[in-house]
Amino acid sequence: MENHGSEQPSHQSWLGITSFSLSVLFGLGLFALFVIVGTMEAQSVGGVDEESPVAIALRLLMFGCLFGELVAGGLGIAGLFERNKVKTFSVLGLAFSVVAFVLFVGMMMIGLTIG
């Protein structure tokens, strides 16, 4: 007699693996960009010119990484709903994306209150 309700997950979810990979990649990108911007701000006498092409490019890259984190989080959520797949990477990808998003928003709020 077959018991279909107790099927074991067979493989990792590709959505989860992609979510995890993207969340780590974009999280490291956000960290690197914050280090670059912080270094530029510390080395310039009057602060970084907000209208300079470099500042605009860095800001666009930050928001691009943030968008990538949102995509990674969405893939993590989708991976959680796959049937008969191991969900470890889906959970990790979603968790890393949420942490990166919250840290990004927190750093932006700190930057707005200090600046």
Side-chain angles (χ1 to χ4, degrees):
M1 185 189 299
E2 291 185 30
N3 185 358
H4 293 289
S6 65
E7 293 179 20
Q8 294 294 322
S10 59
H11 299 290
Q12 285 288 343
S13 164
W14 283 103
L15 291 173
I17 292 170
T18 306
S19 170
F20 175 76
S21 301
L22 289 177
S23 66
V24 169
L25 177 72
F26 287 119
L28 290 173
L30 280 172
F31 177 76
L33 288 168
F34 272 116
V35 169
I36 291 168
V37 169
T39 303
M40 288 175 57
E41 186 71 29
Q43 289 180 350
S44 59
V45 176
V48 176
D49 179 21
E50 296 293 323
E51 302 300 322
S52 71
V54 173
I56 293 170
L58 289 172
R59 198 174 312 130
L60 287 173
L61 284 171
M62 278 188 187
F63 283 110
C65 285
L66 182 64
F67 179 74
E69 287 290 352
L70 292 175
V71 169
L75 289 172
I77 291 170
L80 291 175
F81 288 100
E82 283 189 303
R83 300 183 82 187
N84 298 324
K85 298 287 184 180
V86 179
K87 295 171 177 34
T88 305
F89 282 110
S90 297
V91 171
L92 289 172
L94 179 60
F96 288 175
S97 294
V98 168
V99 167
F101 185 81
V102 168
L103 287 175
F104 178 82
V105 170
M107 294 295 282
M108 293 303 288
M109 297 304 277
I110 290 170
L112 290 173
T113 57
I114 291 174

